Amino acid sequence: MPISATGAAGFTRLTGRRLALVLLGGTMLGGMPAPAFAQTAGEAADAAPAPVIPQAQIIRSIQITGSQRLEPTTILSYIRLRVGDEYTQAAADQALKELYATELFANASVRNEGGNVIIEVVENPVINRIILEGNRRLKNDKILPEIKLAPRQIFTRSKVRADVARIIELYKRQGRFAATVEPKMVELSQNRVDIVFEITEGPKSKVRQINIIGNEVFSDGALRGEMVTKQARLTSFLSSNTSYDPDRLAFDQQKLRQFYLTEGYADFRVVSAVAELTPDKEDFIITYVVEEGERYKFGEVLVDSQIRDFDSDALAVNLPMKADDWYDAKLVEDTVEQLTELAGSFGYAFAEVQPSFSRNKDDLTMGITFVLNEAPRVYVERVDVNGNTLTQDKVLRREFRVSEGDAFSTIGVKRTTNRIKSLGFFQENFEVEQREGSQPDRIILEANIEEQPTGEIQLSAGFSSIESFILSASIRQRNFRGRGQTVGAGINYSRFSRSFNLSFTEPYLFDRNISAGLDVYRRDFNNFGFNNNNRVSSYEQSTTGFSGRVGVPLSEFMSLVGSYTFNIDDVSLGNQFFRDINGDGIQNCDPLTAGRFLCDAIGKRTSSIVGATVAFNNLNSNFRPTRGEQVSLTAEFAGLGGDVKYARMRANASKYWNVFNGFIFSVAAEGGWIKGYGGDDVQLTDRFFLGEPQIRGFDIRGIGPRVLRQPIIDDGDGGPLVLTDRDRIQDDAIGGEAFYRGRAELEIPLGSGASELGLRPSIFMDVGAVFNVDRPDLQQSPFPGGIDIPVRDADGNALFRQSIVNTDGTTTVTTVTSPTAPDGSANTALTSNIPAFQEVFLGDSAKPRVTIGIGVNWNSPFGPFRIDFAHALSTVEGDDTKKFSFNVGTQF
């Protein structure tokens, strides 16, 4: 029968091959009685009482029997009986108490045989192993370190009782108040035992209802919204805060008080908070009784500065609260923090700000005086770096914005914390710690870090109905050799796209505040369309090149980066788009089959590009920012050598806010413009393209100028029917010379359970457009019949079908280049028919395309994973929309 954590425990000896001794006695958690233990220490003495002897009998000898592991002399050391003492009943009882007090014996008796005292003991067994059964929610590694019993220890009943109580307490912490524990013992040879804890975990106790009594100003729903504990509902399956936790109950009382104090109710108090377990032990009902009190306003607000560098009146003028404003305790706390940081920024690290309150219950005002206590100006005595086993000290020390001997500055310490966190090498909750130095005006700064894995290797494979097999592999080390360097390599392969890249970045070149990097890459892209439901490539674009960059800081938050890029771009078409148009034996791009714009784009070109970027960045983290902004402006010029000449400008900005207790709101904007000069037009490979993933809700390159080649078929009545289905036309995105895009996104916090899984949902709105391109020459093939074009050989010669009648009456058909047969008859010219089609130019519009949607980031065991579902609210004819998208193995 299950027992409670506080019940008395005993063993009833059973027989059989697997002898089980079941702990009995006490009451269960629900209050059901259990049989009392039949033999306690005192009762054991009564069961074997010392015989009645004469009062003056002297102990001549003491003999120990029944001991196995313990030496008789060791057992004698536990009691006071000695040879030569008088033997009395009281002395025998005292000896029994002393033996049982050691918790080494399961049974003991004392008897006197004419002065020869015989002490018979039964030693407690030694624990062989501890076995947990039935524990699915709490694993062994969570329970075993919390209990007292362990293998090779002496078994005692008191430890069993304590361990039962501790296990039940662990389950209570998980909200499982119906959990029961039944301990059993399996006897083994050589006085050894196995201890088995049979655990019935029971359901998790939820909070069924939260009742609030006494609130008049704020509704129950508003107050429940301020609490961490939530009522169990169907919509709260991802939240772990619906389970009952006594610590959370106490925290919620503080949350209620904090809420009322921020609203001006300075006299608010929680009269009582009671949690009642329902009879089925599955749910709790929590009831709060509150007294709201009266609402206060700020009275006179003053500052009393005892530091000579600060003027009290000047500080008071800049305080955020004024007389007759509603009282707000949170505003008072923030003001204390701001004044403390202000003092710290001037070197007063240990300055204390104490608010002195003056409450007037008659006019309901709260006067406050912020006392800035006198403190010495502090200097940095030492900077310590601890915990780094791989990362070199200099990698951390160069991020410090205060050095040894400098005046202490809270701004410098905070900036140091953000810079070290932005490295991404250490724990997310890193903070630079401060402790007192060897003198009152000295302070020691400590960076106690926990290194995180910085190497990333990703292998992924997938299948797409369009791309067929998709393979991707990449490796990157963000802290190469512990020097803070980044090296990486990646390869992607599918039927219509391939890429390879190598990269290296040195953030501090020659240990100076100069960054440098180099990228080498090869990218191949096949544009495609559809012809009678068959996917065919329209053009191939390959880029091979490298890019080098060097950056220098202009200020703490601003930097200048110069770059040089050299690319070899090659745009080519399939053989089906070439023919001898002029009859001169030269294969040229055929505008009828390829399109004039593609014929103009083909060829190999080199680009030599110099660029400069001015960037401002005060984000609190470069990996997962929650606060700050980032702005950059980039100018690039192609023409320092190479075959192309253009000027390109690009600007982008983003900002993050931490709002609504964990919600992260962010906005971002980007724009670009490119223009050829020196008589050069902007080539296809240099234009801007938009679509997935820049604007969710559209396909890859799904926005902007494009040429659609639409087949024309017979409508069944002899008339033309233009096909517009995306899977039956050829769609060629040709990009634009200007673009803009924007994003607004709100990341929604989840409960601790979902957060532990790495889930971060968000809602978003994307907007953007790419536009401004010269209208291309369009081609068409008339309906009906299309256009017949001559078939030519590799040398450009027209081909003919020649039929010769043999002497036996048979006919030999051959393909020749002569229009005349040997007998003087004309050969039949071979032709190829281009079915009827029309080309249309669409999408060259600056009208914003707008999408809204929801997405989920998941830091899965297989790497980062992003799912988005978006709906386009605004489109332009020709745009290619897409509802669902996902990305695997990318940083976001």
Side-chain angles (χ1 to χ4, degrees):
M1 180 176 292
I3 68 168
S4 71
T6 59
F11 285 96
T12 300
R13 191 172 301 277
L14 304 178
T15 60
R17 184 162 178 239
R18 184 181 186 271
L19 298 178
L21 300 179
V22 184
L23 285 167
L24 302 174
T27 59
M28 293 189 300
L29 189 61
M32 295 180 62
F37 175 48
Q39 186 177 7
T40 64
E43 292 169 344
D46 294 339
V52 179
I53 59 176
Q55 294 294 325
Q57 190 163 1
I58 302 300
I59 300 175
R60 296 199 301 267
S61 65
I62 300 177
Q63 182 181 355
I64 305 296
T65 62
S67 61
Q68 294 180 339
R69 297 182 308 275
L70 298 175
E71 294 293 333
T73 55
T74 302
I75 297 175
L76 284 174
S77 68
Y78 297 145
I79 61 176
R80 300 178 186 177
L81 286 179
R82 294 292 182 267
V83 174
D85 293 347
E86 291 185 2
Y87 181 85
T88 63
Q89 184 65 48
D93 291 343
Q94 181 62 34
L96 288 175
K97 291 179 180 180
E98 291 167 347
L99 289 175
Y100 281 115
T102 64
E103 295 189 336
L104 297 175
F105 306 102
N107 199 359
S109 63
V110 179
R111 67 179 185 272
N112 181 21
E113 296 179 355
N116 296 319
V117 177
I118 300 173
I119 300 176
E120 186 175 356
V121 298
V122 177
E123 294 179 357
N124 273 331
V126 174
I127 298 174
N128 179 57
R129 58 178 176 163
I130 305 295
I131 301 172
L132 302 176
E133 294 181 353
N135 56 313
R136 294 190 302 273
R137 301 295 181 179
L138 277 178
K139 300 303 181 183
N140 289 10
D141 59 348
K142 300 295 183 182
I143 297 178
L144 293 177
E146 299 291 334
I147 62 179
K148 294 182 178 180
L149 292 177
R152 294 183 298 277
Q153 287 187 356
I154 302 299
F155 168 81
T156 65
R157 294 178 177 86
S158 62
K159 289 182 179 179
V160 172
R161 290 193 295 268
D163 287 347
V164 169
R166 182 55 183 159
I167 295 173
I168 291 177
E169 181 63 26
L170 291 175
Y171 277 98
K172 285 182 179 180
R173 291 294 179 182
Q174 276 206 338
R176 300 182 184 277
F177 285 79
T180 59
V181 180
E182 183 177 349
K184 293 183 177 180
M185 182 174 70
V186 180
E187 291 187 345
L188 305 174
S189 61
Q190 299 179 353
N191 200 24
R192 295 176 301 124
V193 293
D194 285 344
I195 304 300
V196 182
F197 291 102
E198 294 185 353
I199 301 172
T200 303
E201 295 181 322
K204 199 168 188 177
S205 301
K206 301 289 186 180
V207 176
R208 180 185 298 177
Q209 185 70 33
I210 299 177
N211 300 320
I212 305 173
I213 301 173
N215 55 310
E216 298 178 357
V217 180
F218 299 102
S219 66
D220 289 3
L223 296 181
R224 291 192 194 105
E226 297 296 323
M227 300 178 186
V228 177
T229 303
K230 304 299 180 184
Q231 297 178 133
R233 297 292 184 267
L234 293 177
T235 57
S236 58
F237 66 96
L238 285 178
S239 175
S240 62
N241 294 334
T242 57
S243 60
Y244 173 71
D245 187 339
D247 293 338
R248 196 182 296 138
L249 179 67
F251 183 68
D252 283 339
Q253 297 179 57
Q254 296 297 324
K255 293 282 289 182
L256 284 176
R257 177 166 174 76
Q258 181 182 4
F259 172 72
Y260 270 93
L261 288 177
T262 58
E263 296 295 331
Y265 294 88
D267 295 330
F268 172 84
R269 70 188 186 97
V270 178
V271 178
S272 65
V274 179
E276 297 178 290
L277 186 62
T278 56
D280 57 8
K281 298 182 182 180
E282 291 187 358
D283 296 311
F284 274 87
I285 298 176
I286 301 175
T287 302
Y288 294 94
V289 179
V290 301
E291 286 184 2
E292 294 179 324
E294 299 292 340
R295 193 178 188 186
Y296 283 74
K297 290 185 175 182
F298 281 110
E300 187 178 21
V301 183
L302 302 173
V303 175
D304 179 13
S305 174
Q306 299 175 6
I307 299 178
R308 63 182 182 179
D309 289 345
F310 299 102
D311 181 78
S312 298
D313 295 335
L315 292 176
V317 170
N318 294 308
L319 292 178
M321 71 281 291
K322 304 297 179 185
D324 292 332
D325 291 345
W326 290 113
Y327 174 73
D328 186 343
K330 182 65 168 57
L331 192 58
V332 174
E333 292 179 3
D334 293 343
T335 302
V336 170
E337 183 177 349
Q338 292 170 5
L339 290 174
T340 302
E341 287 189 1
L342 177 64
S345 64
F346 283 86
Y348 298 96
F350 303 119
E352 293 184 357
V353 179
Q354 296 179 337
S356 176
F357 298 92
S358 176
R359 181 180 310 192
N360 190 326
K361 293 188 177 182
D362 295 331
D363 58 5
L364 298 178
T365 60
M366 183 76 73
I368 301 178
T369 299
F370 293 96
V371 180
L372 183 56
N373 294 320
E374 184 176 3
R377 196 167 190 181
V378 177
Y379 296 86
V380 177
E381 177 181 342
R382 192 171 72 245
V383 174
D384 292 339
V385 176
N386 305 315
N388 54 317
T389 57
L390 171 66
T391 308
Q392 297 182 7
D393 273 15
K394 68 177 183 180
V395 174
L396 288 102
R397 291 184 180 275
R398 66 195 182 193
E399 303 299 333
F400 271 79
R401 288 304 173 257
V402 285
S403 302
E404 295 173 352
D406 290 350
F408 175 82
S409 170
T410 54
I411 297 176
V413 172
K414 183 178 294 186
R415 179 59 181 160
T416 298
T417 297
N418 289 338
R419 288 182 66 91
I420 293 178
K421 289 170 66 175
S422 292
L423 293 175
F425 305 161
F426 315 113
Q427 71 272 26
E428 288 188 5
N429 59 348
F430 169 80
E431 295 287 341
V432 175
E433 299 180 9
Q434 308 165 25
R435 59 186 179 90
E436 295 182 359
S438 59
Q439 299 179 20
D441 63 344
R442 296 289 185 268
I443 190 171
I444 297 174
L445 302 180
E446 287 187 348
N448 296 313
I449 64 169
E450 298 174 10
E451 291 183 321
Q452 305 294 317
T454 54
E456 301 172 6
I457 182 169
Q458 297 179 358
L459 300 172
S460 62
F463 182 83
S464 167
S465 59
I466 293 178
E467 295 283 342
S468 297
F469 283 101
I470 304 171
L471 302 175
S472 176
S474 66
I475 183 170
R476 187 173 69 150
Q477 172 57 257
R478 294 182 287 107
N479 189 14
F480 184 59
R481 297 188 302 167
R483 297 172 177 266
Q485 301 166 337
T486 299
V487 295
I491 184 171
N492 292 277
Y493 179 85
S494 69
R495 183 179 177 185
F496 291 95
S497 64
R498 293 170 295 276
S499 66
F500 173 78
N501 69 283
L502 295 172
S503 63
F504 174 80
T505 301
E506 169 58 76
Y508 282 79
L509 188 64
F510 306 123
D511 290 330
R512 296 180 179 274
N513 199 2
I514 300 173
S515 62
L518 178 67
D519 299 305
V520 180
Y521 46 83
R522 166 71 183 230
R523 295 188 292 265
D524 294 326
F525 174 78
N526 289 9
N527 199 57
F528 58 88
F530 290 90
N531 186 6
N532 294 326
N533 293 327
N534 296 319
R535 177 170 173 169
V536 295
S537 296
S538 57
Y539 70 88
E540 298 179 3
Q541 173 186 336
S542 65
T543 301
T544 305
F546 69 89
S547 177
R549 58 195 178 278
V550 176
V552 295
L554 301 179
S555 67
E556 178 61 26
F557 301 104
M558 187 172 291
S559 61
L560 174 65
V561 179
S563 64
Y564 175 77
T565 302
F566 184 82
N567 288 333
I568 301 175
D569 296 307
D570 187 9
V571 177
S572 60
L573 300 175
N575 292 332
Q576 70 270 23
F577 298 111
F578 287 82
R579 66 184 178 91
D580 182 4
I581 300 175
N582 303 319
D584 55 4
I586 299 176
Q587 299 289 319
N588 294 308
C589 178
D590 184 4
L592 281 175
T593 56
R596 173 62 60 187
F597 75 98
L598 284 181
C599 289
D600 293 340
I602 62 174
K604 182 177 291 186
R605 302 173 182 86
T606 59
S607 302
S608 179
I609 309 165
V610 293
T613 299
V614 178
F616 174 86
N617 184 345
N618 68 351
L619 297 176
N620 64 341
S621 173
N622 290 330
F623 290 89
R624 191 187 171 194
T626 60
R627 185 179 64 256
E629 56 268 350
Q630 181 178 15
V631 181
S632 68
L633 178 65
T634 301
E636 293 179 319
F637 296 91
L640 188 65
D643 301 322
V644 298
K645 296 179 179 179
Y646 64 78
R648 179 164 55 193
M649 300 288 293
R650 189 190 295 260
N652 66 68
S654 59
K655 187 173 178 62
Y656 295 81
W657 294 270
N658 194 334
V659 296
F660 308 129
N661 296 325
F663 288 81
I664 308 300
F665 180 68
S666 62
V667 294
E670 184 180 8
W673 167 87
I674 186 172
K675 185 68 176 178
Y677 68 90
D680 281 10
D681 294 327
V682 178
Q683 300 299 317
L684 176 71
T685 54
D686 298 320
R687 295 173 188 160
F688 299 112
F689 294 87
L690 277 185
E692 185 191 350
Q694 297 97 339
I695 298 184
R696 293 157 287 191
F698 292 90
D699 208 343
I700 299 174
R701 298 189 175 188
I703 295 176
R706 60 207 325 102
V707 174
L708 303 181
R709 175 167 290 200
Q710 302 168 332
I712 305 176
I713 62 175
D714 193 317
D715 62 359
D717 296 326
L721 175 63
V722 179
L723 300 179
T724 58
D725 295 340
R726 286 280 178 177
D727 58 352
R728 303 191 66 179
I729 65 175
Q730 181 174 312
D731 181 355
D732 293 318
I734 61 176
E737 297 181 5
F739 85 98
Y740 67 87
R741 69 183 183 96
R743 169 186 59 80
E745 189 161 3
L746 180 65
E747 184 177 309
I748 304 170
L750 296 178
S752 59
S755 297
E756 290 175 358
L757 293 176
L759 294 173
R760 304 197 311 273
S762 63
I763 57 176
F764 60 83
M765 180 179 72
D766 291 343
V767 60
V770 58
F771 53 95
N772 191 26
V773 68
D774 293 336
R775 181 181 181 88
D777 294 331
L778 302 179
Q779 305 294 315
Q780 66 177 358
S781 179
F783 176 87
I787 297 177
D788 291 327
I789 59 176
V791 178
R792 298 181 183 273
D793 62 11
D795 296 327
N797 301 312
L799 297 179
F800 298 86
R801 180 184 295 109
Q802 178 176 277
S803 299
I804 298 177
V805 179
N806 301 316
T807 56
D808 58 1
T810 61
T811 301
T812 300
V813 179
T814 58
T815 300
V816 297
T817 58
S818 173
T820 306
D823 59 2
S825 62
N827 292 327
T828 304
L830 295 178
T831 60
S832 175
N833 181 260
I834 299 178
F837 70 86
Q838 70 175 20
E839 287 185 346
V840 293
F841 175 61
L842 301 172
D844 189 11
S845 171
K847 175 185 176 182
R849 280 71 154 180
V850 181
T851 64
I852 59 173
I854 58 175
V856 177
N857 287 328
W858 178 32
N859 292 330
S860 73
F862 312 102
F865 187 82
R866 169 90 190 190
I867 301 176
D868 290 302
F869 181 84
H871 174 69
L873 299 178
S874 173
T875 62
V876 171
E877 184 181 3
D879 291 344
D880 191 4
T881 59
K882 181 180 181 180
K883 295 284 188 183
F884 176 80
S885 64
F886 68 92
N887 292 295
V888 182
T890 58
Q891 295 290 338
F892 42 80

